[in-house]
Amino acid sequence: MDKINVEHMLAIEEPFMKVPLEQLKREVRQSQKLAEREMQQAHLALAGLAKKQNSMDSADYTEALNGLISRLVALKQKLEEAKHKEAQLIQRSKQRATDLNELNDFTSTTQPEFQRWSRTRLERVLIDYMLRSGNVNTAKLLMEKGNLEHFADSSLFALVMSTERELREDHSCHGALSWCADNRSALRKIQSSLEFDLRLQEFIEMIRAKQNPEAIAYAKKHLTSWSDTQLPRIQRAMTLLAFPPTTTCPPYRHMFDVTRWSDLAHEFRQVIFQLFNLPSQPLLYLLLQTGLSALKTPACKSEDPGEHNRNCPVCQTDTLGKLAQSLPLSHHSNSNLVCRITGEKMNEDNPPMRLPNGYVYSLNSLTEMSRKLGGKVKCPRSGETYYLADAKKLFIS
Ligand SMILES: [Zn+2]
């Protein structure tokens, strides 16, 4: 029972490893592209200068060379910064791999080392939850307290939050579009239409601002290149030019709807999570659901709150029960009798007691009640009152 299933634990931890590795891949690719582009331009400029060497004024020639040198120095500095960032991500990946690798050394869940590991995991799962929900300051405090900065994906979630805010509150696609430009090939691989959706929104805003000629030029530049996959939507967008923002015609009214900004913010989060293999739900929910699914019984679903067990987290319909709503019922090979009053298990030490009206409660709950009511017990279901001595002990067979 206290054996550790390393394989199952690693399966749920995939994003923990994947995020820094994906970030590293992107950093390397971006600095590679930058170096290639800058070096190519430097070669071309140098070749051009060599050709014009004899015909140029020496002061101009020196100035051109100096310009080229400062450009290369700037490139060197940028590459050094990128190298530093890459080293940080490599270090972060190593630290996470070491942490997960420790699982292979544990032999039992009762080991103090495993308890310490689990405590750290709980803290990083809570940090993940807080960063996702925007409670950044509390997450920071927890990170500092546990020295867990390397286990948190703060920069990724900060980017998600700021881009979502920009879309939802400022109605601006600027940050989201520049992120799309940096990740174009990855977005193409997952066949995402996020960039098109953002471009379409900018086009709609131009029509809303009565800038139709600019909107047509924008569509030619940014929408028509998507005609292979988005032709019907491009056609509808062009028809929108004929409608005012106050239109009541359903498809066009919907295109002018400002709630589309919230949809874009939601889509941005989904896409960036998909690229980094992050689940849409916080890991905290997934772990809690694993436990809740083992506890869910038909009684938890009862409309009558009296049927609920006060010690059962699934029965707490306003808190953990919400997370368990979509979960299937658990399979129980053995049934347990649970006291309706205390939620305690009924067994030989706390036997079930039958009142004269037929209802059954645990001995502990009736004894406690009789102490308060001067030797009497009151049935919570029927309201009838009896002496404790009237209750008959039942035997579980
Ligand atoms: Zn329950």
Side-chain angles (χ1 to χ4, degrees), residues 295 297 299-300 309 312 314-315:
L295 296 170
T297 65
C300 301
N309 178 346
C312 167
V314 184
C315 285

Side-chain angles (χ1 to χ4, degrees), residues 134-147:
N135 297 307
V136 183
N137 291 337
T138 321
K140 263 189 196 158
L141 282 177
L142 196 54
M143 270 187 257
E144 281 163 18
K145 187 179 146 270
N147 202 12

Side-chain angles (χ1 to χ4, degrees), residues 37 72 82 117 128-129 183 190 202 217 233 253 261 269 298 302 312 315 321 335 339 373 396:
R37 197 177 55 227
L72 288 174
W117 187 91
D128 167 82
Y129 172 76
N183 294 279
I190 60 165
E202 292 210 320
R233 294 181 67 202
R253 188 186 62 198
W261 284 104
R269 179 177 279 237
S302 171
C312 167
C315 285
S335 299
C339 175
L373 300 177
I396 307 167

